[in-house]
């Protein structure tokens, strides 16, 4: 009886360049509420209670739950999806900067290695010697300047003669320019990443988003602090406090 050997799952899919590909076209920081059908589907995907699903249980028989869902839809859910959208935006920026940094470091190393590889010190020394020799002034006899005194001496007139130097090691210069260019671009994006702190903002918005998710279910369950008559006011204060926290240490 043959035994089927199960292949080990490939780790290639778990690589950073596969699982963390940035969206090059960009992601907006603002969230706009879609049409009702798409919105209800978003609620289901995020684990919330969708009114469309609740309709089959006759909401009129459960007015408290229906009112709670309206309160959450008005006060909490817009902020929840706005924070979630911003978390996606900063996450994408963080991945993009990491891609640029990794590719830039790789290309800088590659071009620097190629520059060293194609550089020939003997050719460079020979070209420099030829350039020095060709650029030096060469004394040439001026036949028309023969002394009329008849002493037979020919005067020499210094006539500078400069020959065009060779092109040099072209590939050395090309790879050198590419190394400098890629290094400058990488340094620029690294500075943007350090200044914008996309990873920090991504983590903050995601944390606040999950805190709002917790308060969503606490409100539905009438747990403290949403177990009193002022529960709607408590919900509003919590959302305002979350917005203040999101703006702290941003600039």
């Amino acid at each position: 009886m043959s035994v089927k050997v199960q292949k080990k799952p490939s780790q290639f899919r778990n690589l950073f360049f596969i699982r963390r590909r940035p969206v090059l076209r960009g992601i907006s920081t603002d969230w706009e509420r879609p049409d009702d059908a798409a919105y209800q589907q978003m609620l289901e995907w995020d684990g919330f209670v969708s009114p469309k699903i609740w309709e089959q249980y006759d909401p009129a028989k459960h007015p408290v739950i229906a009112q709670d869902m309206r309160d959450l839809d008005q006060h909490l859910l817009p902020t929840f999806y706005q924070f979630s959208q911003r978390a996606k935006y900063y996450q994408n920026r963080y991945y993009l900067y990491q891609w640029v940094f990794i590719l830039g470091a790789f290309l800088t190393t590659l071009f620097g290695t190629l520059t060293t590889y194609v550089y020939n010190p003997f050719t460079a020394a020979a070209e420099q010697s030829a350039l020095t020799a060709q650029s030096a002034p060469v004394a040439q006899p001026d036949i028309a300047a023969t002394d009329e005194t008849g002493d037979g001496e020919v005067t020499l007139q210094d006539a500078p003669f400069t020959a065009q130097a060779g092109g040099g090691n072209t590939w050395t210069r090309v790879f050198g320019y590419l190394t400098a260019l890629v290094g400058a671009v990488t340094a620029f994006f690294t500075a943007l990443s350090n200044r914008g702190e996309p990873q920090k903002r991504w983590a903050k918005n995601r944390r606040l988003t999950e805190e709002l998710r917790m308060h969503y279910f606490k409100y539905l369950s009438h747990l403290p602090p949403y177990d009193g008559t002022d529960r709607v006011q408590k919900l509003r204060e919590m959302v305002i406090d979350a917005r203040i926290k999101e703006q702290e240490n941003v600039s």
Side-chain angles (χ1 to χ4, degrees):
M1 182 179 65
S2 61
V3 179
K4 186 177 181 180
V5 180
Q6 186 177 4
K7 294 182 179 180
K8 185 179 180 180
S10 175
Q11 298 297 324
F12 180 74
R13 296 181 179 180
N14 294 327
L15 294 178
F16 176 82
F17 284 93
I18 302 300
R19 295 178 60 87
R20 297 295 182 262
R21 290 174 294 180
V23 180
L24 298 181
R25 67 177 181 273
I27 297 178
S28 176
T29 57
D30 299 324
W31 177 77
E32 295 182 1
R33 180 166 177 160
D35 57 86
D36 188 65
Y39 181 69
Q40 299 304 325
Q41 193 172 23
M42 289 176 59
L43 293 178
E44 295 181 30
W45 286 345
D46 290 314
F48 297 132
V49 180
S50 172
K52 291 295 182 182
I53 299 178
W54 186 252
E55 286 178 354
Q56 59 183 328
Y57 298 101
D58 191 4
K61 296 181 181 180
H62 308 277
V64 176
I65 297 179
Q67 182 61 45
D68 289 347
M69 293 175 63
R70 286 193 294 268
D71 294 339
L72 291 168
D73 185 73
Q74 178 181 359
H75 301 294
L76 185 143
L77 288 177
T79 303
F80 172 88
Y81 282 112
Q82 186 175 15
F83 285 172
S84 180
Q85 182 69 21
R86 290 178 181 174
K88 295 176 182 178
Y89 169 78
Y90 289 116
Q91 179 187 33
N92 187 72
R93 285 188 62 182
Y94 173 72
Y95 289 156
L96 177 61
Y97 290 157
Q98 293 303 305
W99 268 52
V100 173
F101 177 76
I102 293 175
L103 287 176
F106 171 75
L107 292 177
T108 302
T109 304
L110 176 63
F111 291 143
T113 303
L114 291 175
T115 302
T116 305
Y117 178 77
V118 300
Y119 176 72
N120 190 333
F122 299 102
T123 303
E127 290 177 352
Q128 183 64 29
S129 299
L131 179 63
T132 303
Q134 292 174 358
S135 61
V138 179
Q140 296 180 347
D142 188 357
I143 305 301
T146 304
D147 194 344
E148 295 295 337
T149 59
D151 55 4
E153 294 183 358
V154 179
T155 61
L156 297 179
Q157 180 179 0
D158 291 339
F161 176 77
T162 305
Q164 187 68 26
N169 199 329
T170 305
W171 284 112
T172 302
R173 291 197 297 269
V174 170
F175 288 130
Y177 294 150
L178 290 176
T179 303
L181 177 61
V182 175
V185 172
T186 304
F188 173 74
F189 276 92
T190 302
L192 286 180
S193 178
N194 294 334
R195 182 177 180 181
E197 298 181 328
Q199 186 180 22
K200 179 180 178 181
R201 297 190 181 192
W202 164 30
K204 172 181 283 189
N205 280 275
R206 180 52 58 193
R207 175 179 59 82
L208 292 174
T209 301
E210 297 308 318
E211 286 183 3
L212 290 178
R213 185 193 301 275
M214 176 189 66
H215 284 281
Y216 176 94
F217 291 103
K218 290 179 69 174
Y219 191 86
L220 280 180
S221 303
H222 289 241
L223 295 176
Y226 309 115
D227 55 346
T229 57
D230 60 342
R231 54 198 310 267
V232 178
Q233 181 63 28
K234 292 289 186 181
L235 180 66
R236 292 174 179 173
E237 293 176 356
M238 183 275 302
V239 173
I240 294 175
D241 183 65
R243 288 184 174 274
I244 293 176
K245 290 180 180 178
E246 195 270 337
Q247 293 298 325
E248 289 178 351
N249 299 326
V250 171
S251 58

